[in-house]
Amino acid sequence: DGERQDFAVFRLDNEKVSGNWGKNEALVKGTFMDGNLELKFPFVSEEAGLQGDLTITGQLKEEKLTGHWGFAGYSGTFAAEHSGGSK
């Protein structure tokens, strides 16, 4: 139901991605290889009263990460940007 903004902190160790997502700091796990991001982690949407796995797939091109997400029967597209810290 419209555009959303959220904050995430990801760490990259070789091809493994870890970190935290959102105000509840969901524990993120996934991979990043050859410019392709794949994440799947438990997530709780207080707004919708739902919990389940949030899946995110994306591709890094020209310093922009874009792709698709899915959660509890919902899906959409996203665009992400780097907002400081080390790359």
Side-chain angles (χ1 to χ4, degrees):
D1 290 339
E3 187 173 308
R4 301 278 195 275
Q5 290 188 10
D6 214 334
F7 181 79
V9 175
F10 297 149
R11 288 173 286 289
L12 186 60
D13 182 15
N14 294 317
E15 297 174 345
K16 292 184 181 187
V17 177
S18 62
N20 300 91
W21 181 284
K23 69 179 181 178
N24 294 328
E25 296 190 355
L27 297 177
V28 173
K29 292 184 180 181
T31 60
F32 182 74
M33 286 189 291
D34 300 322
N36 296 301
L37 177 69
E38 292 188 19
L39 304 175
K40 183 176 180 179
F41 55 95
F43 184 76
V44 175
S45 170
E46 293 175 1
E47 178 183 19
L50 298 170
Q51 63 182 19
D53 285 337
L54 175 59
T55 58
I56 298 173
T57 58
Q59 189 171 42
L60 183 65
K61 287 185 179 178
E62 299 176 13
E63 298 294 317
K64 290 185 180 183
L65 181 64
T66 59
H68 296 87
W69 61 269
F71 172 72
Y74 296 92
S75 62
T77 60
F78 75 90
E81 62 185 58
H82 186 266
S83 64
S86 59
K87 289 187 176 184

